[in-house]
Amino acid sequence: MQHGPVVRRRKLGAELRALRTSAGITSGEAARLVGWHQSKVSRIETGTSGTKPADVRLLLDAYRVDDPQLRELLLMLAGSDGGGGRHHWWHAYRGVLPPTYRDFISLESQASAMRTLETTVVPGLLQTPEYARAVTRAAVDGLPEERLDTLVEVRLARQDVLRSEPPLRLNAVLDEAVLRREVGGPGVMARQLQRLMEAARLPHVRLQVLPFAAGAHIGVTGPFVIFSFSSTSDLDVVVLDHLTSSLHLERKEDLEAYTEAFNALVNHALSPEDSLDFIAATAAGA
């Protein structure tokens, strides 16, 4: 487990090394092509040092990488502020958001799919403004109203990934506790459950409820997110959220373990159709 920026440097380096190898170019040849010392290429490929987007562009040009999606993704990992795809709007909040949160939003904005287990609160991408405000206020005690407004604004702006083209494919498993915990009062919760039902009907959203009746399950250890990218599975990452930071897991064994765990949760949860009925019944007070 490592913090996000380190993981992303290593992932970027590993992908650049694979692209260089695929192009039949040695590290020494790559260095000569772009006018560097070989040690710089080695440091980038091992992730021991960061690299600028401009340097990544030089390497991708040298390796004749033309795939626009792959180029954009690798530039994003290098910290590019520009490029196509979903807008890099979160840079306007650099002075407000901690680096780990910006890193999470960056991954979320560039991912093609997101699988998440939530055991306590509604996923941020599906929260109503009132619910988001209540959750944020509870999570950060004594937060000034202006700062609270900004964080809620960021939370809602993140939801654009579900409305972009193509939209993020969201597969969420919610523990029943998410639906039962009254956040912000009865009115806020009623509108939040209605929002979940609306989201569940979207073609790119798969929502499943894990009822209390399912008993103990593999997700009792806590929530997690798996981000997947269309260009390459080598960039997939698991994110574990903590109170003051996020941890990213990148090893193949970790990804396989969490993928298997998520698949098990999907099998134990109610079907999307039954989950929609369950949410409706909960909203009706049944």
Side-chain angles (χ1 to χ4, degrees):
M1 293 187 293
Q2 299 189 47
H3 292 286
V6 175
V7 170
R8 295 173 71 189
R9 284 204 306 269
R10 290 183 58 187
K11 285 184 173 293
L12 174 61
E15 187 65 19
L16 288 172
R17 182 172 60 249
L19 290 170
R20 175 179 59 76
T21 302
S22 179
I25 299 173
T26 67
S27 59
E29 291 169 340
R32 286 193 295 273
L33 284 171
V34 296
W36 299 343
H37 290 294
Q38 184 177 354
S39 60
K40 180 173 180 177
V41 175
S42 297
R43 289 196 304 272
I44 290 174
E45 291 186 351
T46 57
T48 55
S49 67
T51 184
K52 299 176 181 178
D55 289 343
V56 174
R57 288 191 186 92
L58 285 175
L59 291 174
L60 294 178
D61 290 343
Y63 305 157
R64 300 183 183 278
V65 177
D66 299 322
D67 183 338
Q69 279 191 316
L70 181 56
R71 288 180 68 97
E72 181 183 341
L73 181 57
L74 295 180
L75 288 169
M76 179 271 294
L77 290 177
S80 174
D81 289 352
R86 300 181 183 120
H87 298 299
H88 295 64
W89 54 267
W90 59 92
H91 292 293
Y93 297 92
R94 280 184 180 274
V96 178
L97 305 179
T100 51
Y101 191 19
R102 295 201 307 268
D103 195 62
F104 181 89
I105 296 173
S106 178
L107 289 171
E108 184 180 71
S109 71
Q110 296 295 331
S112 59
M114 174 179 172
R115 286 165 287 177
T116 181
L117 165 69
E118 289 291 348
T119 58
T120 308
V121 298
V122 170
L125 295 182
L126 302 178
Q127 292 179 6
T128 65
E130 297 165 299
Y131 186 98
R133 178 174 292 275
V135 166
T136 305
R137 191 190 297 278
V140 188
D141 188 40
L143 195 65
E145 201 66 23
E146 184 178 349
R147 179 74 179 276
L148 177 61
D149 290 342
T150 300
L151 292 177
V152 172
E153 181 180 315
V154 169
R155 180 68 56 89
L156 299 179
R158 284 174 47 200
Q159 298 177 4
D160 282 345
V161 296
L162 296 177
R163 297 184 286 267
S164 61
E165 188 55 46
L168 175 76
R169 298 192 308 278
L170 176 62
N171 190 344
V173 174
L174 309 183
D175 191 274
E176 184 178 342
V178 173
L179 309 180
R180 300 294 183 187
R181 177 168 287 102
E182 191 175 280
V183 174
V188 170
M189 202 62 205
R191 287 185 286 277
Q192 179 59 71
L193 293 176
Q194 182 61 39
R195 167 70 178 126
L196 286 178
M197 289 187 282
E198 293 169 358
R201 296 186 178 96
L202 295 173
H204 52 282
V205 174
R206 180 184 175 93
L207 199 59
Q208 293 180 258
V209 174
L210 196 59
F212 292 148
H217 54 77
I218 198 168
V220 295
T221 54
F224 60 86
V225 174
I226 306 173
F227 286 119
S228 298
F229 299 86
S230 57
S231 298
T232 171
S233 62
D234 289 341
L235 295 176
D236 290 0
V237 61
V238 176
V239 181
L240 305 178
D241 243 356
H242 295 267
L243 183 61
T244 58
S245 65
S246 296
L247 292 176
H248 295 56
L249 287 73
E250 60 161 341
R251 296 186 310 161
K252 181 180 179 181
E253 308 93 281
D254 294 325
L255 288 166
E256 289 177 348
Y258 275 86
T259 296
E260 290 178 6
F262 190 81
N263 291 339
L265 291 166
V266 166
N267 291 332
H268 279 85
L270 300 175
S271 69
E273 296 76 19
D274 289 342
S275 294
L276 188 57
D277 292 340
F278 191 94
I279 296 171
T282 303

